[in-house]
Amino acid sequence: MELSSSATAVKGVGDELAKKLAVLGVKTVAQLIDYLPRRYEDYSQVMAIRDARPGPVTIKAVVKQASGRYVRRGMHLTEAVVSDETGSMRLVWFNQPYRASGLKSGAEYYFSGVYELSHQRFQMTSPSAELVSDFTVNTARIVPVYRETKGLTSKQIRKAVGSCRHLIQTMPETLPEWLVGEQKLLSRAAAVLAMHFPESGEQLAEAKRRLGFEEVFELSLASLLNKQELAADASLLIPFDEKLAKDFVSHLPFSLTDAQRKAVWQIYQDMQSEHPMNRLVEGDVGSGKTVVATMAAVMALREGYQVTLMAPTELLARQHADTIYKLLEPLGLSGELLLLVGALTTAQKRKAHEVIASGKARFLVGTNALIQDTVDMPKLGLVIIDEQHRFGVEQRKGLMAKAGHMPHLLSLTATPIPRSLALTLYGELDISVLDAKPPGRQPVQTEIVSPNSIEPVYDAVRRELDAGRQMFVVCPLISESDSVDAHSAEKIYEQFRKREFKNYRLGLLHGKMKAEDKTAVMQQFVDRKLDVLISTTVIEVGVDVPNASVMMIQSAERFGLAQLHQLRGRVGRGGHHAYCYLLMSDSKAPGKRLRALESSSDGFRLAELDLELRGPGAIYGQLQHGALDLRIAKLTDVTLIAAARRSAAEFVSRGEDLLKYTELAARVQRLRTVTNLN
Ligand code: ADP
Ligand code: MG
């Protein structure tokens, strides 16, 4: 049996069992070993029968007698009496007819199970039993509990993994020895064995520390190496022109917040340094990222470079173009702007090429795909990436190939990424945080609404609409689904049109509509030709309609906290008092997530909470980082993360050769392609 052998190589695993293991994604011995428990049950305290109290108990006892019988049709009962020096105990099992014959009279076993009162008698019900030995898997220990599947129990998995324990003990170390020593880590083999069969709570904690450390170390190393690679590129110098910056600011209808000023200053520093900028501007919805990005663009344009802004949707691309046009106008630069959206005909594409090639338009705004395959940009100096987390190494290389050099990269995101996560995942990025909103913004008044208290909400909304405001309604689904009990945009649209909002102008917007229809509906809403816009989450990012003051979210319990917060950020941008109604599908008590949203408007605080409640998956989901699997490390474990990051830096500064560590190298290589936000 080797790590790469099929699971059937494991003693006791036949074809039947192998099939079931495959359902869990376990096909090889290595995968079986890597299949870590979800939780544990502590049956490690072996006690005298006399001391047994109701609850989980382990005893070490000799079988006095055991027999089985059918108590009625389809109900088999096995009864046994076992004893130690202090007394005897009755054990029962239901529907396990093979039990009695498996228990040898006179032999000594460990029994672990729940001791309880049943029909006026104390007994242990359905305990696990194992002959007394040095190595048990189901009894007299901290017992691992695995994710199970139909017909496959944790017991069977324990047995199979237990059969691999000698192989586990010979697994090679994956980290450098100096690091294992310096951090006082368990060896990899010891840690993996202890994850499955911990000898104590302390040993389990040490196993988790070792494996969690390794995970974060790998991630950190991956991003450090990416950063190094990036730093090896020479940049296009874009010198800071103070007069231009001042000129730009003087034409704004507001003054920059301190946070914006600082971000802009950091960007200008980056653009005039020797290496290409790779910066993320992270700011809650409405924090004013567009102005910051435009100020970066202006500097690049002045220097004669081309600039692109890539947005995730056409809608956003249009909106950005509108906003940026207005910002560039006073400087006489608006003619530089070219919007690339929709299905361009070949002729239109050629036209765009000409305009770009002639240098007439040097600032391209559009969707990612369109910009990437329409345009040749030899003088590309700055790439702005809005809300696109999939812009990784590959895309970066693509740009490089196109332009022949690495342009400066500026990412914008409204997803508040908790600091611990940002440091680990995006160590290669420099981050500017817009942590202060422009002055005068009022928090959005947020209310959880159950189905039976909806009427007053409709009244309140109608008053808002009558005062000239507009409302967004967001639904989790486009159309009705049999399998999911949640409101769809189509259904709500029909309902509102016929009933609650029949006197108002309603629009419907969802992802399955044609691009031009979507844009048309959105435009109507922006132009106030619609009072209510009913949509799916397509409006989620970036959409700016200052006159909208109400956000109504249907089946709010189906959305993640971070997502709800983003949706809420669509309103309250125009100085009007704004409302967010979180409609529940049923009258159950709202969960912690919705409650948190009601009481906090701090995106970072909410993101931290989301991380605690749902684990990193919540934020990965948002960032579409499915390939990352932090299974053990907790991103809230600041000490572990700091140590692992320092160690990754040390690995690099020691001049270690990654290729010396085959397994580590393979994993780091994989992570290098997915960890980058850009
Ligand atoms: P986001 O960070 O969500 O992309 P935007 O850039 O769309 O935010 O800005 C939101 C709104 O705030 C816009 O209408 C913008 O004009 C306005 N804004 C930006 N900066 C300031 C500021 N310093 N003071 C007042 N309003 C501002
Ligand atoms: Mg924006």
Side-chain angles (χ1 to χ4, degrees):
M1 178 171 70
E2 290 171 34
L3 288 172
S4 58
S5 311
S6 128
T8 48
V10 178
K11 186 165 161 267
V13 178
D15 289 345
E16 248 341 88
L17 197 55
K19 249 186 234 154
K20 286 170 189 155
L21 283 168
V23 174
L24 298 171
V26 173
K27 292 178 182 148
T28 65
V29 173
Q31 285 168 338
L32 176 64
I33 290 172
D34 204 35
Y35 194 72
L36 298 179
R38 295 172 53 210
R39 60 184 183 87
Y40 300 85
E41 276 166 9
D42 191 353
Y43 280 106
S44 58
Q45 291 307 315
V46 180
M47 58 175 70
I49 288 179
R50 187 181 49 203
D51 297 332
R53 298 288 175 274
V57 157
T58 298
I59 57 171
K60 182 180 176 188
V62 172
V63 174
K64 291 295 168 195
Q65 63 167 74
S67 62
R69 67 197 150 91
Y70 279 89
V71 280
R72 56 169 195 271
R73 244 175 96 106
M75 168 72 97
H76 185 276
L77 177 73
T78 305
E79 282 177 292
V81 175
V82 301
S83 66
D84 65 9
E85 281 122 55
T86 68
S88 58
M89 191 183 280
R90 178 178 125 92
L91 315 180
V92 303
W93 291 268
F94 297 102
N95 292 332
Q96 298 184 16
Y98 51 87
R99 266 291 168 192
S101 57
L103 292 170
K104 285 192 218 94
S105 197
E108 193 177 31
Y109 291 82
Y110 287 120
F111 297 99
S112 289
V114 177
Y115 186 56
E116 62 186 6
L117 189 61
S118 173
H119 301 290
Q120 276 99 46
R121 280 202 288 183
F122 278 102
Q123 64 181 39
M124 213 195 289
T125 312
S126 301
S128 299
E130 276 177 293
L131 279 172
V132 169
S133 76
D134 290 345
F135 183 77
T136 54
V137 297
N138 291 316
T139 60
R141 62 156 39 264
I142 297 176
V143 175
V145 180
Y146 298 88
R147 190 163 62 84
E148 301 174 350
T149 185
K150 198 160 183 276
L152 180 61
T153 64
S154 281
K155 264 188 198 171
Q156 290 166 292
I157 301 173
R158 281 174 213 144
K159 207 167 148 232
V161 178
S163 304
C164 302
R165 76 179 196 281
H166 297 298
L167 182 65
I168 294 175
Q169 279 162 341
T170 65
M171 277 172 31
E173 180 52 62
T174 44
L175 293 175
E177 287 301 337
W178 59 262
L179 184 53
V180 174
E182 187 185 275
Q183 296 293 327
K184 300 191 174 62
L185 300 173
L186 289 182
S187 71
R188 180 160 179 95
V192 171
L193 188 61
M195 284 302 285
H196 290 289
F197 300 114
E199 262 147 37
S200 64
E202 292 77 42
Q203 198 199 43
L204 178 59
E206 278 303 305
K208 286 184 179 167
R209 185 171 74 89
R210 147 78 209 214
L211 297 176
F213 179 94
E214 190 168 357
E215 283 179 331
V216 180
F217 176 79
E218 287 167 356
L219 271 176
S220 306
L221 194 54
S223 60
L224 270 180
L225 293 174
N226 281 342
K227 186 167 194 157
Q228 262 190 346
E229 189 180 282
L230 209 70
D233 295 323
S235 77
L236 308 170
L237 290 188
I238 300 179
F240 172 54
D241 177 344
E242 189 178 355
K243 188 175 164 301
L244 178 62
K246 285 210 164 125
D247 201 20
F248 182 95
V249 172
S250 72
H251 289 104
L252 290 175
F254 44 73
S255 51
L256 294 178
T257 63
D258 288 344
Q260 284 171 316
R261 212 166 291 152
K262 187 170 165 205
V264 169
W265 189 80
Q266 289 169 326
I267 291 168
Y268 286 158
Q269 295 295 312
D270 289 355
M271 294 201 305
Q272 60 180 347
S273 90
E274 291 159 44
H275 305 297
M277 168 166 72
N278 190 24
R279 182 171 290 277
L280 172 69
V281 175
E282 197 186 346
D284 218 341
V285 284
S287 58
K289 296 183 288 292
T290 319
V291 179
V292 171
T294 308
M295 288 190 74
V298 165
M299 222 33 91
L301 292 173
R302 166 62 49 100
E303 223 15 58
Y305 289 117
Q306 295 165 314
V307 178
T308 64
L309 188 156
M310 305 188 201
T313 65
E314 190 174 319
L315 225 84
L316 283 171
R318 282 178 190 279
Q319 199 159 71
H320 275 307
D322 280 351
T323 311
I324 293 168
Y325 188 92
K326 287 182 201 124
L327 291 169
L328 294 180
E329 218 171 8
L331 300 175
L333 288 170
S334 52
E336 299 278 2
L337 205 63
L338 181 66
L339 177 67
L340 271 182
V341 288
L344 295 189
T345 62
T346 319
Q348 285 169 319
K349 267 191 199 172
R350 196 174 327 117
K351 183 93 194 302
H353 275 289
E354 274 167 30
V355 174
I356 296 157
S358 69
K360 273 194 206 119
R362 289 177 302 148
F363 192 168
L364 261 70
V365 176
T367 51
N368 185 356
L370 215 56
I371 287 189
Q372 295 217 330
D373 55 54
T374 324
V375 185
D376 257 349
M377 303 195 82
K379 290 213 76 180
L380 186 57
L382 171 68
V383 174
I384 302 164
I385 305 144
D386 189 33
E387 293 296 348
Q388 287 195 196
H389 309 285
R390 259 186 288 198
F391 201 83
V393 167
E394 293 310 313
Q395 283 84 347
R396 209 153 65 190
K397 285 192 179 139
L399 274 180
M400 181 98 177
K402 263 202 145 125
H405 60 264
M406 182 52 80
H408 295 286
L409 299 179
L410 181 65
S411 288
L412 312 175
T413 183
T415 308
I417 305 166
R419 197 172 157 69
S420 56
L421 189 65
L423 285 178
T424 314
L425 295 182
Y426 308 131
E428 73 209 73
L429 283 169
D430 297 308
I431 300 183
S432 301
V433 180
L434 299 185
D435 49 8
K437 287 204 183 167
R441 300 271 165 85
Q442 301 169 9
V444 178
Q445 191 178 320
T446 305
E447 203 181 306
I448 300 171
V449 183
S450 79
N452 46 31
S453 56
I454 184 77
E455 286 305 327
V457 170
Y458 290 144
D459 288 337
V461 170
R462 283 186 289 256
R463 280 195 297 275
E464 278 292 299
L465 300 180
D466 291 340
R469 300 288 84 75
Q470 291 161 285
M471 167 167 74
F472 286 110
V473 180
V474 175
C475 307
L477 304 172
I478 296 176
S479 47
E480 277 323 90
S481 144
D482 293 336
S483 55
V484 189
D485 186 23
H487 292 303
S488 74
E490 284 172 351
K491 192 182 108 182
I492 292 291
Y493 175 75
E494 282 309 316
Q495 177 191 320
F496 281 4
R497 210 165 58 90
K498 289 195 193 113
R499 300 219 295 267
E500 291 86 356
F501 297 99
K502 64 170 183 252
N503 298 326
Y504 300 87
R505 299 162 301 170
L506 312 188
L508 177 65
L509 180 69
H510 59 68
K512 281 200 183 147
M513 286 162 55
K514 282 204 219 110
E516 60 254 44
D517 295 343
K518 272 194 277 193
T519 308
V521 173
M522 195 63 215
Q523 197 59 52
Q524 285 178 325
F525 191 64
V526 171
D527 297 341
R528 302 199 198 180
K529 290 183 183 133
L530 295 174
D531 303 303
V532 178
L533 183 66
I534 296 152
S535 74
T536 53
T537 52
V538 286
I539 60 142
E540 188 179 340
V541 264
V543 176
D544 194 20
V545 184
N547 189 52
S549 67
V550 183
M551 168 62 69
M552 179 184 281
I553 302 172
Q554 302 281 339
S555 304
E557 73 283 350
R558 295 179 50 87
F559 294 91
L561 189 48
Q563 198 179 20
L564 288 168
H565 178 65
Q566 289 223 345
L567 289 169
R568 177 169 64 177
R570 300 294 115 226
V571 296
R573 301 177 142 217
H576 308 292
H577 192 87
Y579 307 85
C580 175
Y581 298 108
L582 305 168
L583 270 48
M584 308 265 299
S585 298
D586 52 40
S587 308
K588 284 199 208 106
K592 264 196 195 152
R593 274 187 293 145
L594 296 188
R595 287 266 177 246
L597 209 71
E598 224 179 15
S599 60
S600 175
S601 58
D602 177 343
F604 280 91
R605 171 77 204 96
L606 292 171
E608 294 277 0
L609 192 71
D610 217 15
L611 190 64
E612 273 165 43
L613 292 176
R614 302 202 300 166
I619 294 163
Y620 289 170
Q622 283 245 332
L623 302 186
Q624 296 158 336
H625 272 301
L628 289 180
D629 53 349
L630 267 194
R631 297 183 303 165
I632 301 152
K634 284 210 171 56
L635 283 162
T636 40
D637 188 344
V638 182
T639 322
L640 178 104
I641 288 173
R645 285 173 46 78
R646 267 197 313 275
S647 299
E650 190 181 345
F651 185 93
V652 172
S653 66
R654 277 176 176 238
E656 274 274 19
D657 178 9
L658 181 58
L659 296 178
K660 250 173 53 193
Y661 307 95
T662 323
E663 199 174 324
L664 180 65
R667 280 198 283 206
V668 167
Q669 199 47 46
R670 188 178 62 85
L671 289 170
R672 284 189 66 180
T673 62
V674 294
T675 56
N676 322 243
L677 193 58
N678 60 58

